[in-house]
Amino acid sequence: MAAVRVEAVLAAAEEQEAEKRRSITVEKELELEYDLGNLLAVDRNPPPAAALRGAGPRREALLRALARDNTQLLVSRLWELPAERAGGAGGPLVAQLPEPTFRLPREKPAPKPRPPTRWEQFARLKGIRRKKKTSLVWDEQAKEWRRRWGYRRAGGDPSRAWLAEVPAGADPEEDQFARLRREKRERVARNELNRLRNLARAHRAGSAVPAAPLHPTGHQDRDELRRVARVARVSTASLGRFQPRLPKEPAEPPSRSGGKKRRFQPLLGNLAAERSRQLELLRDMGSKKPVLDITRAVNKQLRQEEAEAAAANKGKKQSKRGKRGRRQQRPGRSGKKSGARRQPQQQKPAGGGSGG
Amino acid sequence: LISCYRKPKTKRAKRFLEKREPKLNENTKNAMLIKGGNANLTVTEVLKDIYAVKKPFAVLYKRKNITRPFEDQTSLEFFSKKSDCSLFLFGSHNKKRPNNLIIGRMFDYHVLDMIELGVEKFVALKDIKNSKCPEGTKPMLIFAGDMFDVNEEYRRLKSLLIDFFRGPTVPNIRLAGLEYVLHFTAVDGKIYMRSYKVLLKKSGCKIPRIELEEMGPSLDLVMRRTHLASDDLYKLSLKQPKGLKPKKKKNISHDALGTTYGRIHMQKQDLSKLQTRKMKGLKKRPAEKSAQDGGATPKKSKSA
């Protein structure tokens, strides 16, 4: 009897629960797809086309019912997310949304890191790292901490300097203040020039990448397309020699560079230039000095090796190397260098001996 | 390129330029709403309502601009560059294409996708007299109909509409503030866009029951021409930079049942020298200890 009672009570409780849940459950053939990060729900069920064809308020009612069902499902999902009370106990209930999963195209392409400047390349090669500088410096004159540069810098305002010493080897008549001003202008100009050169190098490096735009990006101008078409033409096995041309494409002129051996001067050109060229050739043939400067070649090779070593060491240990590391390496290196330098001295007497 | 060699002279200008440059995590997309040379009342009303929905991430141009987006896109691209908007909605009207809306988006200030839609029926915000939800509410988006998956053009349209209406991406959302829902149904070659205000009613359990109230602009659209981006350009625009991927935490793994496992790497332990709990009963008695040592103990063993 008690068991029956308990069963009845449980059944009644379940019935109540189901009743409560009925108001928020929705029956659908296919489950919806949710992207909660975007508050998005996609319903793949085909809508009742016949019913929606009839115009007027019936269609509106049907659309509204469909919308209500779908919204109920989406809101149920959103309410199941982990939520907390923002701003203490009495604050509003705030749910934490996951990352949006629906892939949408970007506004602008991803930013590319800029190529290193000339100084940055050198510093990387030598292993020089930035010294952390304090922002304030103690000024003895003013007996307080002043900034390193800028407004009220330590060391006083350079434009109000009332004394400019004449340096030891300089002309006593020269205007020192004018010289200081001129040198500052030159420094600023050189700095600006180097900055622009770095920018130009970065820009050129960026645009010399043919790999990506070999397929159409939709916004290439005519020159770029022409360049890309030329690259594509030359990328055949026979280097574009037997590639048919389009009807309106102009015939390829003989390339101006054409390799060192395919470059010919015009027959009847500058006679004076031809003469000077021939005389120079004779002079070089008769001189005792070798055409190939071995010291320069060896130095170039050493620098290249140094760069490779720096690149390799950068992968391994960045901190322990640097100036100390280079200094330790020098005994080995200098042996090589002196060995190289000794060679021309050895060769020369031999050459002289054999020639003379 | 001018931005490279001309540096900004004020902090404000620098901030302005920084807002517009390409970033890892991008800004919310802005939309520009433009009227064509012969826009009629319906189209103007549509633009005004969409502007109200998309505020403050939209710009509504007051004057008429005589351009044809499908023929010449340079003027759109110029506007996009000047106002830093990557979405646009262009409204026009002529006898051949009445009540025309061209919805589109840009990639790198060049047109990516454009879809021309015709407005067959329009009910404005002011025609429905009830209370509206606050400006700037993030809407819930629902797409109904299998056409949005089957047809390629409809798929792009779905992506465009999501991009257009989704608003800023937020990490948290106030559950009581889910007030606005945009419902798109694709049926019979037509797309019905309806906007409803959501009323959360008490239900027996934690999740509220939803009641909808029609609010806001409702449009009956039909697709006309399209100008979709080529597949590789679209793929290029979808590419996300590597920095956005969340960093994997090493030595943590999850199994299918939801348990999280961690891995600790230890050095080799000498098990004989392990510090364990002292159990008095197991302590070595002096007799056993001396037997182990071999009898050579320094202390004199006490007779038991």
Side-chain angles (χ1 to χ4, degrees), chain A residues 312-343:
Chain A
N313 288 337
K314 193 177 163 207
K316 282 193 286 177
K317 269 204 277 184
Q318 248 177 343
S319 53
K320 295 298 179 188
R321 293 278 173 198
K323 277 190 182 153
R324 243 194 302 138
R326 303 269 159 234
R327 228 175 276 141
Q328 279 173 12
Q329 274 182 33
R330 239 176 248 159
R333 291 231 174 246
S334 60
K336 223 179 180 176
K337 265 191 203 164
S338 53
R341 288 238 169 78
R342 254 184 262 126
Q343 270 185 9

Side-chain angles (χ1 to χ4, degrees), chain A residues 223-235 249 252:
Chain A
D223 309 304
E224 223 178 300
L225 282 173
R226 203 180 289 148
R227 196 186 336 134
V228 169
R230 185 157 23 108
V231 170
R233 152 183 293 280
V234 177
S235 329
E249 214 178 339
E252 177 83 12

Side-chain angles (χ1 to χ4, degrees), chain A residues 50-87:
Chain A
L52 284 170
R53 217 165 284 157
R58 241 192 72 205
R59 189 204 281 169
E60 293 302 314
L62 266 168
L63 283 172
R64 184 198 279 222
L66 181 64
R68 197 218 78 81
D69 289 341
N70 287 334
T71 320
Q72 179 74 66
L73 287 166
L74 179 58
V75 168
S76 318
R77 274 301 177 94
L78 283 168
W79 236 261
E80 280 164 15
L81 284 173
E84 56 179 26
R85 290 236 159 238

Side-chain angles (χ1 to χ4, degrees), chain A residues 30-206:
Chain A
L30 267 173
E31 274 292 314
L32 304 203
E33 284 176 4
Y34 301 96
D35 176 8
L36 296 173
N38 277 326
L39 300 182
L40 173 70
V42 178
D43 181 10
R44 292 236 177 125
N45 300 304
L52 284 170
R53 217 165 284 157
R58 241 192 72 205
R59 189 204 281 169
E60 293 302 314
L62 266 168
L63 283 172
R64 184 198 279 222
L66 181 64
R68 197 218 78 81
D69 289 341
N70 287 334
T71 320
Q72 179 74 66
L73 287 166
L74 179 58
V75 168
S76 318
R77 274 301 177 94
L78 283 168
W79 236 261
E80 280 164 15
L81 284 173
E84 56 179 26
R85 290 236 159 238
L93 198 60
V94 168
Q96 280 158 356
L97 289 178
E99 291 281 324
T101 52
F102 193 85
R103 279 184 79 187
L104 288 165
R106 281 175 65 97
E107 231 186 346
K108 296 166 190 144
K112 283 187 287 264
R114 60 176 175 79
T117 61
R118 209 164 139 78
W119 165 253
E120 279 172 5
Q121 283 170 2
F122 179 75
R124 201 187 304 159
L125 170 65
K126 287 290 186 184
I128 302 169
R129 276 178 303 134
R130 293 205 65 180
K131 275 203 189 101
K132 193 99 172 65
K133 294 198 172 109
T134 59
S135 47
L136 299 175
V137 191
W138 178 252
D139 188 4
E140 266 308 315
Q141 288 282 326
K143 297 278 192 300
E144 65 170 0
W145 289 96
R146 289 254 171 102
R147 53 185 86 180
R148 199 179 280 275
W149 55 270
Y151 180 61
R152 285 206 197 138
R153 71 188 76 168
D157 191 2
S159 62
R160 276 149 129 273
W162 48 269
L163 179 71
E165 283 184 16
V166 180
D171 177 21
E173 304 285 318
E174 192 191 0
D175 183 0
Q176 294 304 315
F177 296 107
R179 181 183 63 89
L180 289 170
R181 265 182 280 129
R182 189 186 66 235
E183 285 184 349
K184 172 140 178 109
R185 240 179 295 135
E186 282 170 5
R187 277 200 303 266
V188 168
R190 193 184 328 132
N191 208 351
E192 185 64 20
L193 177 69
N194 283 330
R195 183 180 81 92
L196 291 175
R197 269 209 215 133
N198 280 325
L199 277 176
R201 201 174 300 121
H203 183 69
R204 225 185 316 128

Side-chain angles (χ1 to χ4, degrees), chain A residues 23 38-39 41 43-44 47 53 59-60 68 70 72 93 95-97 105-108 195 199 217, chain B residues 5 20 23 26 29 84 86 108 141 143 145 149 166 171-173 175 187-188 194 208-210 237:
Chain A
S23 62
N38 277 326
L39 300 182
D43 181 10
R44 292 236 177 125
R53 217 165 284 157
R59 189 204 281 169
E60 293 302 314
R68 197 218 78 81
N70 287 334
Q72 179 74 66
L93 198 60
Q96 280 158 356
L97 289 178
R106 281 175 65 97
E107 231 186 346
K108 296 166 190 144
R195 183 180 81 92
L199 277 176
T217 58
Chain B
Y5 57 77
R20 296 197 172 196
K23 295 180 219 161
E26 291 190 315
K29 289 192 185 182
D84 193 31
S86 50
D108 198 17
L141 300 163
F143 288 83
D149 276 310
R166 88 169 157 154
N172 303 318
I173 191 159
L175 286 173
V187 139
D188 250 354
R194 299 282 180 269
R209 183 179 160 79
I210 299 290
S237 68

